Structures are given as structure tokens and as C-alpha cells.
Amino acid sequence: MSKLRVVSFGLGPIGVRAAQLAHARRNLELVGAIDVDPAKAGKDLGDLFQPATKTGITIEADIGALDRLRPDVVVHCTSSFMPVVEQQVLDICRRGIDIVSSTEELLVPDLQHPSIAASIDQAAKAGGATVLGTGVNPGFAMDFMAVVASAVTYSVQHVRCVRVVDAGTRRLPLQQKVGAGMTTDEFEAKRATGRFGHIGMRESVALVARALGFEIDRNEQSLEPVLATEERKTPFLTVSKGAVAGIRNIGRGSLGSRVLIELDLSMYVGAPDPRDEVHLRGDPDVDLIFQGGIAGDSATAAILINSIAQVAAASPGLKTVLDVAPPRSTAV
């Protein structure tokens, strides 16, 4: 079987790790890398790897490089928000190139941005491309894993997922995203923007509801700061006692007064007992616990790479993780 040609678009910590995994995967051929950061353009992609290694792939700044590189699939890691990535995604799929994206709002693209979703779907079908948003959270730990677990339950009445993450073990952008080190006033100002904290909680609720056939009339979330009870240091920053250590983010899907879906995320520096839990109340009940939790950064890069072959095999259009074959690891 011929290798799938891959270009990495967006070289933040997740994008770089995904590129490194793609470069090592024998069923893939990493043929290019794109990032708008002028400090990265012109460098060998392998200079960003850990450990650094020469790849012979020069980082480019212009999306037009895709015309020369002619990839089958783009691994896209640039932003969490559909309005930000809309033009990038359109430019790629109009070229007939499949996309696996870490954009959180693409998990259930029509939930918050139906017009953008329709535009992308139309362009993808016209260009013969498949577009998928995936990841670990959202995309697996608090949504797709519950859907998979339901396979051994005849009926499900209630879903509860718990995710506890020590943000001190994660990349700097995530620590900043959950407000580590901020004052409470700074946290409140950021929260008011609606683009702060974990992105994708409502998408996770919607995915579970759609997959299990739950009728819900409310999809709600709350976001609160977790304050440090003592000083905490990470490799990137210091959280003073009393400062914001991170977040508690809860999502609920309800029908009337009945809560059908509860998703409980704690992500803060120093969080004890990291873990992922999936609990289904049904016939029979299902209880899954990932001790130590799913390693978010490396796992996100892995699920992007492990979804490439499935996306390449799918029919054109804008898809969700419910529409394509489940990702799986293959021999390197």
C-alpha cells in the first residue's frame, strides 16, 4: 500500500508532536510543514522536534505551498475556534486535500457555527475532501469513550464522565489557557470573553447526546477558578498561594429537570489523583477508570495521526468522529 502524503499545518506544541509522530509512521510520508510564525519559517522542521533531528523538510509560511507539496492529508493545529480557522480549512479542502484538525469547535461543527459548518461541508464535497475535528478532550476522554463503552450496554439512561488533570504536567499554552498564575480579577476578565478555559465542553455534551439518541433541551456549562492552597511551580510559571491554579468546568445535558449527561473536568496545577472516568447507568452499568489519566498532549498528537487513514478512506464532506471508522494505533 502506498504511503499517504502528509503536511503539518500549525507548529505549536501539539502540531510539532503530531508532525514528529507522522514522520516516524511507516504508512505516512511527511512531505511539508506550514506555520505563519516568521521565527519558524525557513527552519528545518526537525529543529523543533524533541530530540532535534534533521528531516530535510523546510517550514514554510504560505498555504500556497500545498499546491507544490500535493499532500493527501493536512494535520491542522492552529486554533480552537471555527471562525478563526474557517478560511484555512476552506483553502485546504477546496484543493481536494483531506484534513484532520485539532480545532475543538469542529468536533460538533454545527452546534455553534451552523453556517460555517455548511460552508465547509459544501466546499469539501465540491473539492472531494474529508474534514474531521478530533482530539482527546474533546474527541475522546469525555465523549467518544462513553459512546464506545455503550456498545456493551443495551440501554443507557445516564452518562457521567470525570477528568482530573494536573495542569502542571502540561504544555505552557494549556497552563495559560486555564489561567494558572492569574489573579481572580484577571480570571474574571478572561472568562467574560467566552474564549477562555477549556474549549469544547458543549461540543462533548452534544456529541454524547447525538450518539446515544438522547433528546436534550439544555446544553449548559459552568466555569469556575480553582485557587492554589500553596505555592506551586511548573517548568514554565509559578502559582502563588491564593492565585488561580486552573479551572473546574462542568457540562450538563438535560431534558426538563432530568440531567442525562454530566461531564466534570478539573484541570489545575497540582490537581491530585489525575484520572479519567466514564460511568454509564444502564442495562448493565459500565464503569471505566484510566488511572493516572490520559496523557493529554502526547495523546492528542497520537489521535490526530491515528485518524489519518480513516479520514482518507471516508467519503467527502465535513464529518464528526461518529461518521468515520474509530481511530486506532498501527505499527510504526
Side-chain angles (χ1 to χ4, degrees):
M1 185 177 68
S2 60
K3 294 183 177 182
L4 291 169
R5 293 170 60 85
V6 177
V7 165
S8 287
F9 189 161
L11 298 171
I14 298 298
V16 169
R17 180 59 179 155
Q20 190 165 3
L21 295 179
H23 188 251
R25 185 61 62 80
R26 67 187 183 197
N27 67 326
L28 306 176
E29 181 183 4
L30 187 64
V31 298
I34 299 172
D35 195 285
V36 297
D37 184 354
K40 295 174 183 174
K43 288 185 175 181
D44 186 291
L45 174 61
D47 291 343
L48 306 183
F49 289 176
Q50 294 293 332
T53 183
K54 292 301 178 185
T55 64
I57 297 171
T58 300
I59 301 171
E60 307 188 49
D62 186 359
I63 195 171
L66 293 173
D67 297 328
R68 171 175 44 82
L69 296 168
R70 299 177 61 190
D72 299 298
V73 181
V74 164
V75 176
H76 175 266
C77 304
T78 65
S79 173
S80 299
F81 306 105
M82 284 179 62
V84 176
V85 306
E86 177 184 9
Q87 194 58 53
Q88 296 170 356
V89 172
L90 289 172
D91 287 345
I92 296 167
C93 66
R94 283 170 177 160
R95 289 174 161 88
I97 303 168
D98 296 334
I99 302 171
V100 179
S101 178
S102 64
T103 297
E104 288 95 327
E105 289 185 344
L106 275 173
L107 183 79
V108 183
D110 63 324
L111 178 67
Q112 299 193 67
H113 306 286
S115 61
I116 297 177
S119 178
I120 292 173
D121 185 55
Q122 182 180 25
K125 288 176 178 175
T130 305
V131 180
L132 177 73
T134 189
V136 165
N137 188 33
F140 187 79
M142 301 185 78
D143 38 54
F144 190 62
M145 194 66 247
V147 174
V148 172
S150 74
V152 293
T153 298
Y154 177 71
S155 64
V156 180
Q157 287 81 48
H158 184 266
V159 175
R160 181 170 185 262
C161 298
V162 177
R163 181 165 168 81
V164 179
V165 178
D166 180 359
T169 65
R170 300 289 296 275
R171 64 195 188 278
L172 175 61
L174 183 133
Q175 293 180 20
Q176 294 170 327
K177 186 166 73 170
V178 300
M182 287 183 179
T183 65
T184 53
D185 287 344
E186 290 170 335
F187 184 95
E188 292 301 330
K190 286 283 190 180
R191 179 166 59 176
T193 68
R195 291 195 168 193
F196 175 69
H198 168 66
I199 308 300
M201 181 61 80
R202 292 183 64 227
E203 281 74 12
S204 289
V205 170
L207 189 84
V208 172
R210 293 183 186 186
L212 300 184
F214 286 174
E215 180 184 351
I216 61 173
D217 54 18
R218 293 197 314 282
N219 182 341
E220 302 169 311
Q221 68 169 325
S222 62
L223 178 67
E224 300 297 334
V226 176
L227 304 184
T229 57
E230 60 183 9
E231 182 178 277
R232 296 276 187 173
K233 293 182 182 291
T234 81
F236 308 108
L237 51 80
T238 297
V239 179
S240 302
K241 181 179 179 180
V244 175
I247 61 170
R248 177 95 181 273
N249 187 193
I250 296 175
R252 292 187 178 90
S254 306
L255 179 62
S257 61
R258 183 184 174 199
V259 178
L260 302 174
I261 302 165
E262 293 181 277
L263 309 180
D264 187 340
L265 171 65
S266 295
M267 186 180 295
Y268 59 94
V269 174
D273 190 20
R275 64 195 185 277
D276 284 280
E277 303 178 11
V278 174
H279 304 282
L280 307 183
R281 300 283 76 86
D283 179 20
D285 293 344
V286 174
D287 296 282
L288 302 175
I289 299 179
F290 295 76
Q291 296 290 355
I294 298 168
D297 293 349
S298 57
T300 299
I303 203 169
L304 291 168
I305 300 307
N306 290 335
S307 297
I308 288 175
Q310 289 81 347
V311 168
S315 61
L318 177 57
K319 308 294 187 181
T320 76
V321 295
L322 304 177
D323 303 319
V324 301
R328 62 183 184 277
S329 182
T330 57
V332 174

